[in-house]
Amino acid sequence: MKLTLKVWRQNGPNDKGNLETHQVEASEHMSFLEMMDVLNENLISEKKTPVAFEHDCREGICGTCNMVINGRPHGPQKGTTVCQLHMRAFKDGDTIVVEPWRASAFPVIKDLVVDRSPFDRIIQAGGYISVNTGQAQDANAIPIEKDLASQAFDAATCIGCGACVAACPNGSAMLFTSAKVAHLNMLPQGEVESSKRVLNMVNQMDEEGFGMCSNVGACEAECPKEISITNIALMNREYLTASLASNTTT
Amino acid sequence: MKLDAKIPAGSLEEKWTKYRSTMNLVAPNNKRRIDIIVVGTGLAGASAAATLGELGYNVKAFTFHDSPRRAHSIAAQGGINAAKNYQNDGDSVYRLFYDTIKGGDYRSREANVHRLAEASRNIIDQCVAQGVPFAREYGGLLANRSFGGVQVSRTFYARGQTGQQLLLGAYQSLSRQITLGKVEMYNRHEMLDLVLMDGKARGIIARNLLTGKLERFAAHCVVIATGGYGNVFYLSTNAMGSNVTAAWKSVRRGALMANPCYTQIHPTCIPVSGDYQSKLTLMSESLRNDGRVWVPKTVENAEAIRSGKKTGLDIAEGDRDYYLERRYPAFGNLVPRDVASRAAKTACDEGKGVSPTGLAVFLDFSAAIQRYGKSKAHSTGMHNPSDAEITKLGRAVIKEKYGNLFQMYEKITGEDPYVYPMKIYPAVHYTMGGVWVDYNLETNIPGLFALGEANFSDHGANRLGASALMQGLADGYFVIPYTIGQFLSKEIRTPQIETSAPEFEKAEQETRDLLERLVSVKGTQSVESFHRRLGKIMWEYCGMSRNAEGLKKARKMVRELREEFYNDVFIPGTANEFNPELEKAGRVADFLELGEVMIMDALDRNESCGGHFREEYQTPEGEALRRDEEYAYVAAWEWDETEPKVHKEELVFENVELKTRSYK
Ligand SMILES: Cc1cc2nc3c(=O)[nH]c(=O)nc-3n(C[C@H](O)[C@H](O)[C@H](O)COP(=O)(O)OP(=O)(O)OC[C@H]3O[C@@H](n4cnc5c(N)ncnc54)[C@H](O)[C@@H]3O)c2cc1C
Ligand code: SF4
Ligand code: FES
């Protein structure tokens, strides 16, 4: 299949950037990133600079790949990361626009590569259970209801890709943050620190310059792991309770 | 060189406990003055960095990824073993130890493996306490499943995303130590050299990947946990960035590469479909719990399937050869990986492959769907359910167990595995070989430690499923925090190491020279094309089966390719900027050296064992033929541009009797 690509090129955070047009020949069995590999091999053979893009596992789990394809984070297929997207989803002769995540909290490093370190700092603010190695009791000492474990698992499958932020008109990180809050606050092991956790993580999220949530729902629609927006509701409840409690005690 | 494994005295069961209780300690006030560098923050590195931080050391941790959460460990699917015996099915520390020694084809150290089996139980406790959402039974207790090469259910799992959940657990603990100021985290930093002072590991040279700047970091000791080198084959199930550089630079500074030829070829991967392919995708071994492997009995039927005239569904039950069940009745579809992979190759070599390339066999879930469907119908009180109802219920159970794997398969192949049997073929997956370490996980360079897939320690010539995660976390959470003290307790008077020392200056200059050399070749071929060619050579001559003649030829080919690389590679841009092509080039350059040593190791080992199958050494039935009298040793290679040299560590078996591995 013959494709026309319009790819975002930006040489560093301060460069203005623009879309560059390229023709690529691909096979429908290729993954989207393999098609990008073909483009880069072509560029290299012409002694030009290849398009910088990030990827690693190429199986939808590491959360590294990030491209906005025809306006949609991770492209047209529901519940699919770019690396799992195959060219079967496109037609011969298509024009495809490829851009980086766009969000003020995720500045562009080069071309399609952005800085997602704010996510790490949100986790560092409280996305953990404070247990040192060696302090644990026997694993079966705390039975956890199967459905609850399964719900916590669903929230925990977030891959930290940032598509939710890129999809949100406000550039909000609520889906990402709430997924971690929900995973940990739901479990008995995470309960002790639940108030502190939600307060600190939400504060950090605000400090990083992510936008407010106005219930648009684009995050859930574009999330490749189909993380549910009900996590946001859960986080809001936890936040409210925690801030009321902390106001009365201080 | 005499290799001393430093295995403590005492009975197998007591060695670790006794050793741990009598080893030298570093007092808390001294820990505060000691710096440790941890390179790599996958399962092994993140768990080590977090735990060492908790103990009070000052840790600097490095990853080339943009976040520790991206490490290749995230992709592990199937599960993690532990001798908890929660299923009351006869499991024990000894049985896990024995299974691992046998699974490794008697090429690993007894003492290390026993320690691993002991630690396995603590790992599960630790992970649950961190909030890792393992699968559970209706009663709320932890669920288990089986993996290949064993007859008990001891694998803990989190759907098909066990590695993700375990890594996130370790990442979260690491994040906590970062917040507490005990770990300084350097993302997007790639270690490009090891710095020695007076023969001890005292620091690293790392390249800041965003700016291209070379930076120096000093510490009292260095721990590398940088993963495996499966990508030497170009196509593998490893993440694209997985590489050998940190380990290899250590080898270039005098560490030894142990058993490099032991590579694991995983039997259940999605087959190669075209030349453009950049990586292969694993279908977790847990699928062999429920999937049955088969090929058509006749070449005619196989041909009809290959040409698209028939599908697997058209082949009658009696015309199918469930060859694993036939050849290995005791373990059936759950034979270890090396055995299953070779059997698939044999079937395809006989012309019975079922994909257009001829390189695929079926993994069929229809029997399991029927079985589960009937049991579900029964348990929900349905009387006389129809076939369609049974199938529907059965598919739901399969979906619950393996949903994400089935979805992944369909995304890649475009075929629905709930209806058509999956097509699978072996692919490079894991490297048992790695940096040589003693019982303390210390290399032959004092103060340099290696953990996780980067070392060679516990899996012998073949790794059993669900035991890499176990080893990585045992090393990081429960072994290195103790054993590092054996070295550091002698260093409490060593002042802070200064990066202004001439050793750092020199190492930095050498690294800069190498990078400059690479970018200034300005040849005509891409890095990728060299990597692909290296992979082809390795797969063809040093892959699933090997012979002396092929290996000799391959060594020459790799040496020639290396020379061509330095004369004709094209790397755009400069060394002083963000330059992903240069990063790749550095990694491929190291693979081009490692590949040669792997080939030499395979040639040196005149026997077949585990993942190493030499065609000259097989039984009349085509099974691996070990030669214990001559080859029960660890081969540890010293790098030399012209002639790498092998050193041997004899393996002593005091507790298990060396037997021919039988899964019949
Ligand atoms: C698809 C797949 C599925 C698997 N499933 C299972 C399973 O179900 N059960 C099981 O037990 N095992 C499984 N394995 C094996 C297991 O996942 C790995 O062996 C294990 O996770 C390796 O962990 P590690 O910490 O040693 O290395 P990795 O997770 O590879 O981490 C390496 C770290 O080192 C860093 N690094 C590397 N080089 C440098 C450098 N030069 N400078 C700075 N940083 C560097 C990386 O950034 C990363 O942080 C699977 C493997 C694959 C490929
Ligand atoms: S919530 Fe979804 S979109 Fe957002 S980071 Fe997690 S996986 Fe990505
Ligand atoms: S590359 Fe890992 S999720 Fe896409």
Side-chain angles (χ1 to χ4, degrees):
Chain A
M1 57 204 289
K2 286 195 166 54
L3 302 163
T4 304
L5 290 180
K6 290 184 185 293
V7 187
W8 188 257
R9 303 304 301 259
Q10 180 176 341
N11 200 6
N14 302 320
D15 183 24
K16 227 170 90 243
N18 65 295
L19 285 170
E20 205 175 77
T21 306
H22 295 281
Q23 309 296 327
V24 174
E25 203 146 329
S27 126
E28 57 167 12
H29 299 296
M30 286 179 181
S31 70
F32 197 88
L33 297 188
E34 283 165 351
M35 184 276 294
M36 293 295 290
D37 292 342
V38 173
L39 168 67
N40 276 348
E41 285 293 292
N42 293 347
L43 288 170
I44 291 170
S45 72
E46 296 162 19
K47 306 256 147 114
K48 291 186 184 142
T49 312
V51 180
F53 67 89
E54 287 198 288
H55 61 94
D56 198 26
C57 72
R58 295 204 172 190
E59 46 190 59
I61 192 75
C62 72
T64 311
C65 60
N66 59 313
M67 292 180 191
V68 175
I69 298 169
N70 293 336
R72 297 187 60 183
H74 289 302
Q77 223 165 57
K78 203 174 147 44
T80 308
T81 54
V82 196
C83 60
Q84 288 185 297
L85 181 64
H86 278 67
M87 297 313 291
R88 283 189 284 279
F90 299 89
K91 292 191 310 293
D92 185 35
D94 275 1
T95 296
I96 306 175
V97 183
V98 189
E99 294 167 280
W101 280 179
R102 296 202 188 277
S104 53
F106 290 161
V108 171
I109 291 169
K110 187 179 180 173
D111 298 342
L112 305 172
V113 179
V114 300
D115 176 10
R116 284 172 285 187
S117 55
F119 272 10
D120 279 338
R121 292 190 290 273
I122 292 176
I123 300 297
Q124 284 158 20
Y128 47 76
I129 290 172
S130 300
V131 51
N132 282 357
T133 303
Q135 292 178 333
Q137 56 185 335
D138 184 80
N140 259 349
I142 334 164
I144 300 173
E145 205 202 329
K146 186 177 162 75
D147 286 343
L148 181 69
S150 172
Q151 260 178 44
F153 174 85
D154 286 338
T157 57
C158 163
I159 58 175
C161 64
C164 45
V165 178
C168 177
N170 310 326
S172 164
M174 287 288 270
L175 194 62
F176 167 79
T177 310
S178 68
K180 189 45 64 191
V181 167
H183 160 212
L184 296 176
N185 282 21
M186 222 183 277
L187 293 171
Q189 305 94 299
E191 211 178 299
V192 180
E193 297 169 288
S194 60
S195 307
K196 208 171 96 197
R197 174 176 307 118
V198 69
L199 291 176
N200 289 345
M201 288 178 75
V202 170
N203 285 347
Q204 186 65 35
M205 182 180 81
D206 294 342
E207 252 171 56
E208 296 289 347
F210 290 104
M212 303 295 283
C213 173
S214 54
N215 289 318
V216 179
C219 52
E220 183 189 57
E222 301 296 345
C223 170
K225 295 294 134 180
E226 305 184 305
I227 300 292
S228 164
I229 202 165
T230 56
N231 291 311
I232 297 185
L234 182 144
M235 180 166 81
N236 283 337
R237 277 200 308 277
E238 297 260 323
Y239 184 78
L240 199 67
T241 324
S243 37
L244 286 176
S246 76
N247 284 343
T248 47
T249 50
T250 50
Chain B
M1 192 183 313
K2 171 106 181 59
L3 293 175
D4 181 4
K6 302 205 179 119
I7 296 169
S11 74
L12 185 65
E13 293 74 21
E14 286 176 354
K15 271 186 207 296
W16 176 233
T17 316
K18 261 203 183 140
Y19 184 57
R20 214 172 30 167
S21 328
T22 52
M23 65 177 40
N24 301 328
L25 296 175
V26 181
N29 59 325
N30 286 327
K31 286 197 179 106
R32 282 197 291 277
R33 291 205 300 262
I34 289 183
D35 301 317
I36 301 177
I37 284 175
V38 176
V39 187
T41 45
L43 277 179
S47 56
T51 307
L52 292 168
E54 286 162 14
L55 288 173
Y57 294 108
N58 304 312
V59 180
K60 296 188 186 95
F62 296 81
T63 167
F64 69 78
H65 286 99
D66 72 322
S67 160
R69 67 180 297 150
R70 311 269 187 235
H72 167 57
S73 294
I74 201 100
Q77 302 172 345
I80 175 164
N81 289 331
K84 281 288 199 183
N85 194 30
Y86 282 162
Q87 306 305 322
N88 194 29
D89 57 0
D91 201 9
S92 63
V93 166
Y94 185 83
R95 194 181 289 276
L96 174 52
F97 154 78
Y98 182 81
D99 285 346
T100 308
I101 290 274
K102 175 184 171 195
D105 220 354
Y106 307 93
R107 290 293 175 266
S108 42
R109 278 188 206 133
E110 284 185 342
N112 283 58
V113 176
H114 199 274
R115 174 176 68 188
L116 174 67
E118 290 172 55
S120 70
R121 300 174 302 182
N122 308 84
I123 295 173
I124 302 302
D125 299 343
Q126 183 62 27
C127 294
V128 167
Q130 288 169 346
V132 170
F134 283 121
R136 290 183 181 262
E137 307 284 1
Y138 282 103
L141 301 179
L142 292 160
N144 290 116
R145 59 187 173 202
S146 313
F147 258 54
V150 302
Q151 289 168 316
V152 292
S153 274
R154 64 159 76 100
T155 305
F156 294 78
Y157 63 101
R159 246 172 265 172
Q161 282 130 280
T162 317
Q164 179 194 30
Q165 295 310 318
L166 294 173
L167 182 64
L168 292 179
Y171 161 71
Q172 288 165 202
S173 289
L174 176 64
S175 297
R176 176 168 159 250
Q177 293 307 311
I178 295 172
T179 301
L180 295 173
K182 289 313 292 178
V183 177
E184 249 177 280
M185 187 68 223
Y186 294 88
N187 295 335
R188 296 191 191 269
H189 275 69
E190 181 161 17
M191 165 180 165
L192 291 183
D193 208 353
L194 176 75
V195 182
L196 305 186
M197 291 169 79
D198 300 327
K200 294 177 184 169
R202 295 297 198 193
I204 63 168
I205 304 296
R207 183 165 177 268
N208 178 332
L209 300 181
L210 288 181
T211 61
K213 196 169 168 290
L214 294 180
E215 297 171 11
R216 305 174 189 180
F217 298 92
H220 291 82
C221 67
V222 176
V223 176
I224 58 170
T226 46
Y229 52 83
N231 277 347
V232 66
F233 290 90
Y234 185 71
L235 284 181
S236 84
T237 62
N238 288 12
M240 302 294 288
S242 298
N243 71 85
V244 76
T245 291
W248 194 251
K249 299 299 186 198
S250 307
V251 170
R252 293 194 61 124
R253 292 284 176 200
L256 304 175
M257 194 70 188
N259 299 333
C261 83
Y262 290 164
T263 28
Q264 178 157 84
I265 317 277
H266 196 294
T268 53
C269 301
I270 299 180
V272 177
S273 63
D275 288 337
Y276 51 80
Q277 204 142 350
S278 58
K279 77 157 284 181
L280 297 173
T281 303
L282 174 78
M283 289 284 103
S284 166
E285 175 161 297
S286 58
L287 293 171
R288 285 198 278 142
N289 268 303
D290 285 313
R292 299 177 70 196
V293 177
W294 65 275
V295 289
K297 276 187 182 156
T298 65
V299 174
E300 293 70 51
N301 270 334
E303 257 163 22
I305 294 172
R306 286 199 289 270
S307 60
K309 288 191 199 98
K310 285 186 180 172
T311 72
L313 302 180
D314 300 320
I315 310 298
E317 193 59 31
D319 295 332
R320 301 176 175 190
D321 179 12
Y322 294 94
Y323 59 83
L324 289 178
E325 296 169 27
R326 172 172 57 78
R327 289 176 62 182
Y328 309 99
F331 282 71
N333 293 295
L334 283 174
V335 291
R337 294 175 175 178
D338 52 337
V339 178
S341 290
R342 273 198 297 279
K345 182 174 188 296
T346 308
C348 294
D349 288 350
E350 288 166 0
K352 293 175 184 164
V354 295
S355 72
T357 59
L359 297 177
V361 299
F362 285 127
L363 180 64
D364 196 331
F365 292 87
S366 51
I369 289 175
Q370 292 306 310
R371 191 175 73 241
Y372 286 126
K374 281 185 192 140
S375 136
K376 191 85 191 176
H378 185 77
S379 69
T380 51
M382 267 168 96
H383 298 295
N384 302 322
S386 69
D387 283 353
E389 279 167 336
I390 289 177
T391 306
K392 191 166 161 231
L393 289 170
R395 282 184 186 162
V397 175
I398 292 287
K399 185 164 180 202
E400 158 82 24
K401 294 181 95 162
Y402 311 111
N404 70 316
L405 298 172
F406 273 55
Q407 195 189 23
M408 188 144 85
Y409 180 88
E410 182 166 6
K411 274 182 188 152
I412 293 174
T413 63
E415 221 171 63
D416 181 359
Y418 290 99
V419 179
Y420 297 98
M422 280 184 183
K423 290 177 190 145
I424 52 157
Y425 198 66
V428 173
H429 177 61
Y430 180 88
T431 50
M432 281 76 69
V435 181
W436 185 87
V437 289
D438 63 17
Y439 189 73
N440 293 328
L441 305 183
E442 189 172 12
T443 68
N444 56 314
I445 299 178
L448 178 69
F449 296 79
L451 320 181
E453 193 173 339
N455 74 24
F456 88 106
S457 69
D458 296 352
H459 308 293
N462 174 56
R463 175 175 72 79
L464 289 181
S467 52
L469 302 181
M470 168 172 76
Q471 182 226 329
L473 289 180
D475 287 0
Y477 284 134
F478 297 107
V479 179
I480 194 72
Y482 291 98
T483 58
I484 207 165
Q486 289 293 71
F487 174 79
L488 290 176
S489 56
K490 291 174 278 171
E491 297 287 334
I492 50 176
R493 286 193 187 81
T494 310
Q496 211 173 28
I497 312 291
E498 299 295 339
T499 55
S500 52
E503 288 87 348
F504 279 89
E505 179 83 48
K506 185 163 171 278
E508 185 185 323
Q509 191 53 46
E510 284 171 12
T511 308
R512 180 166 301 115
D513 292 346
L514 175 69
L515 295 174
E516 284 306 332
R517 179 177 171 202
L518 286 171
V519 286
S520 58
V521 177
K522 293 283 179 247
T524 61
Q525 302 176 63
S526 68
V527 176
E528 202 74 13
S529 68
F530 280 102
H531 194 180
R532 236 178 248 273
R533 281 164 68 194
L534 172 66
K536 280 223 170 88
I537 301 172
M538 297 304 293
W539 178 245
E540 185 155 342
Y541 299 104
C542 199
M544 246 191 297
S545 78
R546 305 150 175 193
N547 62 59
E549 200 191 328
L551 288 164
K552 284 181 191 145
K553 192 165 137 198
R555 181 176 178 206
K556 197 161 158 275
M557 290 167 84
V558 170
R559 288 184 70 97
E560 283 165 6
L561 190 64
R562 196 158 74 218
E563 204 179 310
E564 192 180 331
F565 176 81
Y566 282 104
N567 286 317
D568 198 30
V569 69
F570 173 71
I571 300 160
T574 70
N576 309 313
E577 59 181 337
F578 178 63
N579 188 344
E581 281 297 306
L582 177 60
E583 293 165 30
K584 258 198 303 195
R587 296 169 191 165
V588 171
D590 292 332
F591 281 140
L592 281 163
E593 293 180 353
L594 168 76
E596 184 183 354
V597 177
M598 288 172 70
I599 290 167
M600 292 183 69
D601 188 38
L603 188 58
D604 177 72
R605 192 165 280 280
N606 290 308
E607 65 163 349
S608 293
C609 60
H612 169 66
F613 190 76
R614 278 281 299 271
E615 287 157 16
E616 302 93 322
Y617 305 97
Q618 50 182 311
T619 66
E621 300 99 61
E623 305 292 345
L625 187 68
R626 255 184 14 239
R627 299 174 64 202
D628 294 332
E629 314 73 52
E630 286 158 87
Y631 289 95
Y633 63 74
V634 176
W637 291 83
E638 180 184 332
W639 172 246
D640 180 278
E641 179 82 44
T642 34
E643 201 57 38
K645 202 172 138 214
V646 66
H647 303 272
K648 295 175 185 175
E649 177 205 332
E650 294 305 323
L651 289 167
V652 183
F653 293 88
E654 290 169 340
N655 299 278
V656 274
E657 185 195 340
L658 273 64
K659 289 189 191 150
T660 301
R661 225 166 34 134
S662 169
Y663 293 94
K664 295 199 168 165

